Amino acid sequence: MISEINVEEGQVVAAGQTVLTLIQTDELEVEINVPENQLSAATVGKPVTVKFWALPNEVEGVIREVSPMADSTSRTYRVRISLFDVPSVIQLGMTASVTLTDNSNSDTASGVELPLSAIYQTGDQAQVWVVTEENTVKLKNVKVTQFGDNEVVVSGVDSGENVVVAGVHKLREGQKVQTRAKEK
């Protein structure tokens, strides 16, 4: 399939000039950029789930290639994912969300969904501020298992714990806080 024609009929072209772009549509793939602190989770052969933003369908895939070098501008690594059983409604250039699936440990997939604003990160360690019984805050290490648009799924937070979801960069260890009761 021809996706782009870069010249006009009768135009004189220079040696090496791109005339047209051909695309192969029998095997579609998704390309994502992974930051270096998440690169260890993205290994060749690892299964993934791809959710296209414009479609209700999820598609299974596998990581086919991980770039050995980071992009000089974004400092992220290019990861290519081969897709299986691609529905015909998927078009080239569509935007998608990719989730790494870990079949080896089902506990990793479960967790607590929090707003992205609740994550307090210093270095490579993700943390959340937890409100104690004395209405003070303390940092608690968590592991981010899944990223969404504006939310994350974390493990390491116990059921029933109150987690601060706004203003996390203005808090300090042991600071007294007042919680807002949920409206009925």
Side-chain angles (χ1 to χ4, degrees):
M1 174 189 282
I2 298 173
S3 69
E4 184 177 16
I5 299 175
N6 300 320
V7 295
E8 297 293 323
E9 184 178 335
Q11 180 179 344
V12 177
V13 296
Q17 181 179 348
T18 303
V19 176
L20 59 89
T21 304
L22 290 173
I23 55 173
Q24 185 177 354
T25 58
D26 60 339
E27 185 179 322
L28 296 180
E29 59 183 30
V30 172
E31 182 177 292
I32 61 173
N33 294 310
V34 178
E36 62 187 43
N37 65 343
Q38 300 291 321
L39 190 61
S40 61
T43 56
V44 174
K46 186 159 192 159
V48 298
T49 303
V50 180
K51 169 81 171 99
F52 289 89
W53 293 3
L55 305 171
N57 308 41
E58 284 188 352
V59 178
E60 298 301 316
V62 66
I63 295 177
R64 179 181 70 80
E65 175 187 322
V66 178
S67 175
M69 278 184 54
D71 179 86
S72 61
T73 306
S74 66
R75 304 306 305 156
T76 58
Y77 292 81
R78 187 185 72 229
V79 174
R80 291 181 183 239
I81 298 162
S82 293
L83 301 176
F84 308 126
D85 301 323
V86 180
S88 60
V89 292
I90 293 178
Q91 300 294 316
L92 297 175
M94 286 184 140
T95 306
S97 256
V98 176
T99 305
L100 295 174
T101 48
D102 187 5
N103 300 334
S104 63
N105 186 359
S106 59
D107 292 337
T108 305
S110 66
V112 176
E113 185 175 309
L114 296 172
L116 190 57
S117 62
I119 300 298
Y120 180 81
Q121 185 158 345
T122 51
D124 288 343
Q125 181 59 56
Q127 299 172 313
V128 294
W129 288 101
V130 177
V131 180
T132 66
E133 291 179 11
E134 298 82 32
N135 282 343
T136 61
V137 290
K138 68 175 184 173
L139 276 174
K140 185 169 189 176
N141 291 343
V142 294
K143 181 178 180 188
V144 177
T145 58
Q146 184 177 346
F147 287 94
D149 294 333
N150 289 316
E151 67 281 334
V152 291
V153 177
V154 299
S155 59
V157 176
D158 298 329
S159 177
E161 280 187 310
N162 289 326
V163 176
V164 177
V165 297
V168 297
H169 293 289
K170 296 181 179 184
L171 297 174
R172 57 185 188 279
E173 192 79 27
Q175 183 176 355
K176 278 250 189 225
V177 294
Q178 182 177 4
T179 59
R180 182 173 58 184
K182 289 187 178 181
E183 296 177 15
K184 294 182 182 181

